[in-house]
Amino acid sequence: MKKLFLCKNIITMENAQPDGKSAPNAVLVENGVVLKVGQAEEIKSEFPDCEVINLGENTLMPSFIDPHSHFTQTAFALLQVSLNGCKSAGEIKERVNNYIKENNIPKSVWINARDYDNNLMPEKKNPPLSVLDEIAPENPLVIQHKSGHMGLINSLGLKALGVTEDTPSPKGGKIGKDGGKLNGYMEENAFFEYLKKIPMPNIEEIMCAFSQAQKKYASYGITTIQDGMFVEDMFPIFSELLKRDILNCDIVAYSSVPDIQKTKTVFSENMGKYDKRFKIGGLKMFLDGSPQGKTAWMRTPYKGTDDYFGYPTMDDEDAIFAFETAAREHLQIIAHCNGDAAAGQFLRCLEIAEKKHSNLKDLRPVMIHAQLIGIDQLQKAFELGVILSFFVAHVYHWGDVHIENFGKKRAEVISPAASAQNKGIIYTFHQDSPVIEPDMLETIWCAANRITKNGVVLGKEECVSIYDALKAVTVNAAYQYGEENDKGSISSGKRADFVVLSENPLETDKTKIREIKVLKTFKEGNLIFHIDN
């Protein structure tokens, strides 16, 4: 049966910003696709037997599209103890001990904690190994930094992973030592390598967590979700997800470069197209680390140092190989890239690869985060056809830390969306969940206001309008995925992916955007979230 969605305010995101004089108040949907957009009386007279869904005085617009996050890690985060806001080792110990008691965790079973931020700790220092051992004296413990790029492991955990004082740090990573003794700290490739070796929960717990993760994204109005680093260890989980057919949002995954041939073999039906709402969108690589963790690769030293620039995680040869692999496989490539030195490497290596493979530009390469890309680097990004996906919410969550790490002048141009727009660059916004919640309305608020937690306006000239911020997570995000003909706006022939908001963001004071509530989310015309869920 046809469905007629009625709503006082409908933002279609089609063409120019609406003037409100002839705004539609009805959308006709059949089989999950928009048939017609217009005035309710006209559509009702033409299709009198359709099911009417009256959304009242609220606002209907295309659902949000997540340009970058980690769906798997967001699901697993639901099975972990959150240390969000902890400001001392004592608070961490209390959270961990409560988690052990509440969940009856036996001795010797791994405890996985997340959301730790050393910037909140005394003197911003990590607790020493002896304190980590006191936090969980009978269990292996891993504490993941909020950035996802580093973490802490206690002695029982290091022993279980086979890490000793003689274990070398891998390229692009670090196993922390003080005076030759392990201190429990790891970062970048070292942390990623050992994190994969920690035992996972059972499959039923995992399936439940993935279902809950879907609901989390839908509760923020998102119906297309990214899994930003799809590695072989995740294959059995997604095979089971597809077998059970429990996905009700579209998931776009990006394979690691080394795993692409195995990915193509196991998920042949999902290469570049959706099957059971899952598709392989392309390849992913990392070029540096985290600015708040001081591992982002910079052209100038971090403030307070003479010669510390952060560091790369790949050399040019490997980066060029990754770009060329994407070209040969006809796959989009996305690259984690925070510092301006990493941005320079991305642009340098992409230009070399594009000279040999002209199709690379058409594959829409994406620089993920692009927080500290230099204004002087934007022209080259435009020329090479790079899409910039900004983690603009960093302005609020870590803007004050960036001022300390880089100085006010440099921090003011993190996530330079307005400058990118002036250059004609297509850009999107993301939350890198589970680093922060996949809250698109908060992100839109950040992009329009650029206010830090301490109330500092950081780079007012880089603010963008609410309409342009909405485009970044609808129209532009659909373009990033090559799905602009199916998603991103409300028009005939596109999927009926909608979000219902309590207020019209185009008519709301920009300082109050994040107070707007997501009331309902529809995927292809079907309700997948409502506020009473």
Side-chain angles (χ1 to χ4, degrees), residues 5-12 23-27 53-62 441 490 498-508 515-522 527 529-532:
F5 289 79
L6 305 180
C7 196
K8 179 182 179 182
N9 303 298
I10 296 179
I11 303 172
T12 66
N25 61 8
V27 181
I53 300 172
N54 195 331
L55 301 172
E57 301 290 304
N58 301 304
T59 296
L60 177 74
M61 63 173 290
L441 289 167
I490 300 176
F498 306 143
V499 60
V500 181
L501 304 177
S502 61
E503 305 288 341
N504 185 339
L506 297 178
E507 297 175 356
T508 300
E515 298 175 18
I516 295 174
K517 291 181 173 58
V518 172
L519 303 178
K520 299 176 187 289
T521 304
F522 293 88
L527 183 67
F529 169 80
H530 60 89
I531 202 163
D532 296 324

Side-chain angles (χ1 to χ4, degrees), residues 25 34 57 99 108 131 165 170 215 318 388 420 436 532-533:
N25 61 8
V34 175
E57 301 290 304
Y99 177 82
S108 303
V131 174
E165 294 168 359
K215 291 179 182 178
D318 291 337
L388 299 178
I436 62 172
D532 296 324
N533 273 18

Side-chain angles (χ1 to χ4, degrees), residues 140-169:
L141 170 70
V142 59
I143 297 175
Q144 299 183 46
H145 192 272
K146 198 170 180 68
S147 69
H149 284 261
M150 54 210 69
L152 306 170
I153 302 174
N154 69 356
S155 294
L156 288 176
L158 293 169
K159 182 177 180 180
L161 295 171
V163 180
T164 70
E165 294 168 359
D166 297 324
T167 303
S169 296

Side-chain angles (χ1 to χ4, degrees), residues 372-392:
L372 290 147
I373 187 171
I375 301 300
D376 61 306
Q377 295 172 318
L378 293 177
Q379 181 60 34
K380 179 60 69 174
F382 173 76
E383 293 169 3
L384 296 175
V386 177
I387 296 170
L388 299 178
S389 188
F390 294 118
F391 192 171
V392 71

Side-chain angles (χ1 to χ4, degrees), residues 17 32 96 408 415 431 488 522:
Q17 185 168 339
V96 170
K408 180 79 180 298
S415 297
Q431 294 84 24
F522 293 88

Side-chain angles (χ1 to χ4, degrees), residues 66 69-71 74 212-226 249 433-434 438 521:
D66 163 38
S69 71
H70 300 272
F71 181 52
T74 301
Q212 290 178 311
Q214 278 192 117
K215 291 179 182 178
K216 177 189 282 286
Y217 280 91
S219 73
Y220 289 108
I222 296 169
T223 58
T224 299
I225 306 166
Q226 186 176 117
C249 292
S433 300
T521 304

